[in-house]
Amino acid sequence: MIRPRTPVCTANVRPALAALLAAVAPGALVTPAQAEGTDGSDIVVTARHRSESAIKVPIAITAFSGQELADKGTADITELADSVPNVTLEASRGSNSTLSAFIRGVGQQDPVSGFEQGVGIYLDNVYLNRPQAAVLDIYDVERIEVLRGPQGTLYGRNTVGGAIKYVTRKLADKPTLSMRGSYGSYHQADGVITASTPLTSDGVVRAGGTFARLTRGGFGKNLTTGEDNYNKDIVAGRVSFEVHGSKVFARLSGDYTHDMSAARGGHREIPGLLSGTPVLPKVFDSQGGLSSPRQDIKAGGASLFIEARPTSALTLRSTTAWRKDNSATPIDFDALPAADVDVPGFYKNSQISQEFQALFNMGKLNGMVGFYYLNADALTQFDVRLFTTVAGLAAYTNADIRTDTMAGFANLTYDLTDQVALEVGGRYTWDKRSAYILRQNYLGGGSPTFGGAGVAFGAPSTNFRGSASFTKFTPRASLTFKPNSDNTVFFSFSQGFKGGGFDPRGVGANAPDLNADGIRQDSEVAAYLSFRPEKVNSYEIGYKTRLFDRKLNLNLAAFRMDYTDVQIPGSVACTVAGLPSFCGVVSNAGKARMQGFEAEGSWKIGALTLAGSLGYIDAKYLQYITLIAGAPTDVAANRKVQNTPAWSGSASATYTADLSGGKLALSGGVSWKSTTYQFEIPNPYLDQPAYALFDASAVYHAPGGHWSLGLYGKNLADKRYKTSGYTFVAANATTGAITTNPLTGLPISALGKEGVLTTYWGNPRQVFVTASLNF
């Protein structure tokens, strides 16, 4: 079942990149879906860049049809995590649109420049380089595929944990007009209108566009500023032009999205340690006083996809894409009116990518060779204002990280017999990371970047320019046995790789004098700020079957992942030139092991369809080296793999009946997750105990599909559950146990005077109605 998120009409738009959903179409010449989905329907997938039944693909993959997602009222990709085992997808803290994604324990929740995602998000094969604006709404989608495990030989950008792949619909060969509207709890009012038409009499040239207006009041209030908290206010649009030739398909698309939603304020879990401000009774309320810059997210882009089939055995593809997004955000870490740990920030990202693919089919031999290039720039700027600690003190960071990467990759499948196939692939990646990192203290009211009147105080604690290159060959191999068209057994090995880089929050002034010459050399600063690449070796065995005249679908997988040099970015309270500050700390922790199993299935019994999933993962650090009192110390016994609950699952039932010539579908279900640790160090204030969510819906589709009406309920038990948080309190360096004041019993602040233990929460109970018209 689907976790509650901001309910929107069955097709809506999320900030920054939602409008790109139909921007490019690498699967444009693929016929509509025809293989099993999670609800027992048939979906053909293109996980290996060719059309094939999901049951034949030797990859742990979950596929959702667009109709299935619409019937469940799925709002955005974060809701997929409730149906897919061992997957966590959440909006990250202070914004509606920054994505935190984990698959099988591999992921990344730090949004600042310099850190790459562990899970690749692909919009029709265009890789999204940054997590900002990556919480995508779902509309005009043919299907979504969630692939678990490394995917480097199949996709343009290497992914260590897995991939989420959007496949959007092509424009129709006749004029179309569709309208969708939703109204529901918290004054939700959404509208989406989509239209397309052929521009030539033969329908070869077509044009289309979408406009969306999405609004909702907040789940709570910021009691200091008076603004709604957790609201939504979005305008988005896109246009596309397509050419549908007999052997050529091309799509040129452009989009723009503006998210004017207020910043999401966190909920304090402890009273103010300086002011004594009590904990608010409502978790969706906040008291943060930082209101500048005003939260504002703008994004746009353009792309060109061309696919040609000169012969029946050869397909050539080119995908050219450009994206840009700018985010202004006020993050009030302490969530109180005073400027205790206030962080105004700018995120400015741009990327240009080019991918070429050649696919061939030579009877028993099928394959793909490809080349990928990405040039991306990520600029992060922020103050850390500690006005209650030192009057007017702000630590300013300007981190500009550029990525240049090229890769060649190939994936070949050879049918040894009619039942046995061998797949081999490889990828050679070249990554170059270039960084300019400036950290400067200001006194008197903040840095000029954010309109402050502060004056630079002392020398910069970091003034670093440098670059580093990383190369790696990563292989993949699988052996598949298909005794018949309804059964597939496979064993696979794959390797994932993520390049190293430089900590954008690092403090060069704290770099150790490695050669004891009394001079802090550039090479010593570079070594202190840099972190190494990480690598994953993944082993998997799977079984996919369809039984009882294909009424029962069952997918099983067991896996083990050996994870080395794990990149763990973080930030801690520190002292710089005698002043309190906020410092980046990136660890290549050492070794981790993830092993577990996954089961997904559906069973159609007449008009009733039962569906469910179950995932278990034993995720454990085998080695976690950190510096304690200047000495390398292994603290693996006291660390957890973040955002990776040991158990996850879902169960649902859908009853479909004929009614007045149309179809009525009644559905209900539950999803659950066991304890989730927000960070590597367990924290009783931030971590989420096991919980379950209940959803239900009733959807009627009129004869001919001309209109539909749906009633949806999300999180019907109104469960409160944490999705993320911030912490800056004193703790034991080895065990992570929080240090408390013996007089008050409250934690001791590590940064600022009030103490930072702030949480963000999943959506409450929501009920909404969605109506659609199709012409």
Coordinates of all heavy atoms in Angstrom, one line a residue, residues 43 71 82 314 324 388 403 447 459 542 587 641 645 656 697 717:
I43 N 2.9 -5.7 -17.5 CA 3.8 -4.6 -17.8 C 5.0 -5.1 -18.5 O 5.7 -6.0 -18.0 CB 4.2 -3.8 -16.6 CG1 3.0 -3.2 -15.9 CG2 5.1 -2.7 -16.9 CD1 3.3 -2.5 -14.6
D71 N -4.9 4.7 -9.9 CA -6.0 4.1 -9.1 C -5.7 4.1 -7.6 O -6.6 4.1 -6.8 CB -6.3 2.7 -9.6 CG -7.0 2.6 -10.9 OD1 -7.5 3.7 -11.3 OD2 -7.1 1.5 -11.5
D82 N 6.5 2.3 0.0 CA 5.6 1.5 0.8 C 5.2 0.2 0.1 O 4.7 -0.6 0.7 CB 4.4 2.3 1.2 CG 4.7 3.5 2.1 OD1 5.6 3.3 2.9 OD2 4.2 4.6 1.9
L314 N 19.2 -3.2 -35.5 CA 20.0 -2.2 -34.9 C 19.2 -0.9 -34.6 O 18.4 -0.5 -35.4 CB 21.1 -1.7 -35.9 CG 22.1 -0.6 -35.5 CD1 22.9 -1.1 -34.3 CD2 23.0 -0.2 -36.6
K324 N 18.7 23.0 -15.0 CA 19.1 24.1 -14.1 C 18.1 24.3 -13.0 O 16.9 24.3 -13.3 CB 19.4 25.4 -14.8 CG 20.0 26.5 -13.9 CD 20.3 27.7 -14.8 CE 20.9 28.8 -13.9 NZ 21.2 30.1 -14.7
T388 N 23.3 33.7 19.4 CA 23.1 33.6 20.9 C 24.4 33.2 21.6 O 24.6 33.3 22.8 CB 22.0 32.6 21.2 OG1 22.4 31.3 20.7 CG2 20.7 33.0 20.6
T403 N 31.6 18.5 -11.5 CA 31.8 17.1 -11.9 C 31.9 17.0 -13.4 O 31.0 17.5 -14.1 CB 30.7 16.3 -11.4 OG1 30.6 16.3 -9.9 CG2 30.8 14.8 -11.8
S447 N 26.6 37.0 6.6 CA 27.4 37.3 5.5 C 26.7 38.2 4.5 O 25.4 38.2 4.4 CB 27.8 36.0 4.8 OG 26.7 35.4 4.2
A459 N 41.3 35.4 9.1 CA 41.6 34.8 7.8 C 40.5 33.7 7.5 O 39.9 33.1 8.4 CB 43.0 34.2 7.8
G542 N 17.6 -15.1 -7.7 CA 16.2 -14.8 -7.8 C 15.4 -15.8 -8.5 O 15.9 -16.6 -9.3
S587 N 33.5 10.5 6.5 CA 34.3 9.3 6.8 C 34.2 8.3 5.7 O 33.1 8.1 5.1 CB 33.8 8.6 8.1 OG 33.8 9.5 9.2
V641 N 23.1 1.3 10.1 CA 23.0 1.8 8.7 C 21.7 2.6 8.7 O 20.6 2.1 9.0 CB 22.9 0.6 7.8 CG1 22.7 1.1 6.3 CG2 24.2 -0.2 7.8
P645 N 15.3 0.2 7.5 CA 14.6 -0.7 8.5 C 14.8 -2.1 8.2 O 14.9 -2.5 7.0 CB 13.1 -0.3 8.3 CG 13.0 0.3 7.0 CD 14.3 1.0 6.7
T656 N -13.0 -5.4 -7.8 CA -13.4 -4.7 -9.0 C -14.8 -5.3 -9.4 O -14.9 -6.5 -9.5 CB -12.4 -4.9 -10.1 OG1 -11.1 -4.4 -9.6 CG2 -12.8 -4.0 -11.3
S697 N -9.3 3.3 -0.9 CA -9.8 4.1 -2.1 C -11.0 3.4 -2.7 O -11.2 2.2 -2.6 CB -8.7 4.3 -3.1 OG -8.3 3.0 -3.7
A717 N -5.4 6.0 10.0 CA -5.3 6.0 11.5 C -4.6 7.2 12.0 O -4.5 7.3 13.2 CB -4.5 4.7 11.9

